[in-house]
Amino acid sequence: MPTSQPAASSARTGPSVASSEGLSRPVWFGDSAHPLFGWLHEPSETSNRGGVVLCGPLAKQYDTTYYTLRLLAEGLARAGFSTLRFDYRGTGDSDGLVTDPFTVAAWHAGVASAAELLDSLGCRSVAMVGLQVGALLAAQGAASRSAAGAPVSGLVLWDPPASGAAFLREQRAFGALAMGARPGADSSFESPAQLWTGEMVRDLRQLIMPTAGLPAATLVLSREGANLAALTRDVAAATALECETFTGHEDFYEHAKVPHAAVDRIVDWFDSRPSPSPLLPLLPARTETFADTAVVHAEDGTPVTERAVRLGPNDLFGVLSSGADATGPTIVLVGGYVYPHTGPGRTWVQLARQLAATGHRVLRLDLSGIGDSGLRPGQLPQQYFAAEGAEDIAHAVSAISPTDPRDVILVGFCSGAYAVIEAAAMLRPRAVVSVNYVPEFTPPELVAGGPVDERRNAFVARPRWIVRLRERGLLRRLREVVPEWGWQLLNRLGIVPSPTTGFKVLLAAGVATRALSGPEDAELFLARAGRQLARMAKTAPFSFTVLDGVGHSVLSVIERQAVVTAVMREVADLLGDGGPATPTVDIPARRVGGSAEPVEAFGDLPSGSNTAT
């Protein structure tokens, strides 16, 4: 198994990546006081057929649809359209907080700014595509441009809600079902990965589909079974409307499965439309002036400089955050599942900016085939727990810390925690912090019928009989009745591997290790290796902390703040510079082999916050 690290490579700022899909580059634009972040996908030719603004969804669907919108943008660029996908203020990599005042107004302004950027590139026409609530924002943006004398050339409403009020009802139902969330006194509430403040609720309730100013060409692509009779009647009165359906929306929103048929239909719809004659050239001088960096703000208002970087030979993408006079090791954040570098519910953005505000340099990274990173030759996209993850991290570390690749702290969430553990066995960094680490899984190569990849050092195989018990709902009962010594005996006999294998790999390499887990993820470790963890904590640079009230997917504000503060405290402790002096949140942390301590959060919680149950 490999133990050497890759040769050092350099980080590239202001990256532009040319491919058969065209030219893709990250851009900062809009109000310089609160810059927006986006991706501009341009045709491979020097002329374009027009511009397209992609207005994405919010909440958990931001994470699960991220890669699909990237593919849509690439497809439109391949068809000859300069396409901009972007994050609204307070979402994704853009500046701001979701609790900022006038948030919905800022989202409208962001749509206008995105269209203006395409205007500045020489696009003769601008069209819009909106997904979910983004469809309402796109339609409003189209109507506003029409009123200003610059109508859009086309509009695609992809799975549009009938109104902002209808969208809020759906989100409120999701919050109640998934989190037991209850509305606050000001009508604020939470849905998975999103807080809806009272002001946002008020403004979104007023968001309706305009009946004037829409383009002559409008496509409504709705999920099967959606009742949009009133919406389509109103829109049809204002435009030549085409209505179609797409399948697989549940897998799309819940499991990030790309609805290729819907993506292809949207691209074909634009491709079939007549192009302006003659085609207008792009303005290369203008496109080269996009800022490499932007000044954004941490939650406490501290200015933080961020720049988009390409790393290593496989075009890994990351965002590097740094505050004034950043010192010490670089902290690398790796997310889980197929979610992008922003982390679940934007957790990594919040954490990176707050760490940068306290004097650190922080990279939030997409592994290959995920988010905005490139694909390796022959690699399938959106493969989590991929064996290539450790090499990706090693390449990224060699690029951002070429003089001393060991001078880093690796932080990973879920499958990202597994990736940083594997990478740490190779790199031997200063420390590793794992969050909701899942030690047992089925690797993609086994799913495909092959052997376990030889690059895996910390893989814990899940026995088939364990899988069958879990499928039948009996595994938890087994953990309750079998004592820990019984599991240890099964470990020694080789019948069941120890869940601590990954931690042992790190400690054998001399890597300080801090594990943070919610009760759901900690149960596996405590039931089968609780005493072993306690012994490790006494004899090695290791700790295992249970964050009570934190679910695996960190769906609520309280959970995400607890994770941010817990990681900051671990980093501060590892570096010996104390922890954040901030108010406490009612989620205790139980350190195995130690006493309970409160986990702190930054500032008072917004109204409407709920702990997941």
Side-chain angles (χ1 to χ4, degrees), residues 277-300:
S277 181
L279 297 179
L280 292 182
L282 293 172
L283 303 180
R286 174 64 181 84
T287 62
E288 291 302 323
T289 63
F290 290 128
D292 291 337
T293 63
V295 176
V296 294
H297 300 86
E299 189 169 356
D300 61 4

Side-chain angles (χ1 to χ4, degrees), residues 300-361:
D300 61 4
T302 302
V304 170
T305 299
E306 291 196 333
R307 60 188 176 105
V309 294
R310 286 283 186 183
L311 306 163
N314 298 303
D315 279 323
L316 302 174
F317 177 75
V319 177
L320 195 61
S321 307
S322 58
D325 302 321
T327 59
T330 299
I331 301 165
V332 180
L333 308 179
V334 182
Y337 191 42
V338 297
Y339 295 160
H341 55 273
T342 48
R346 213 182 179 220
T347 304
W348 273 183
V349 176
Q350 179 186 355
L351 175 59
R353 292 175 180 174
Q354 200 66 31
L355 283 168
T358 58
H360 299 288
R361 195 169 71 138

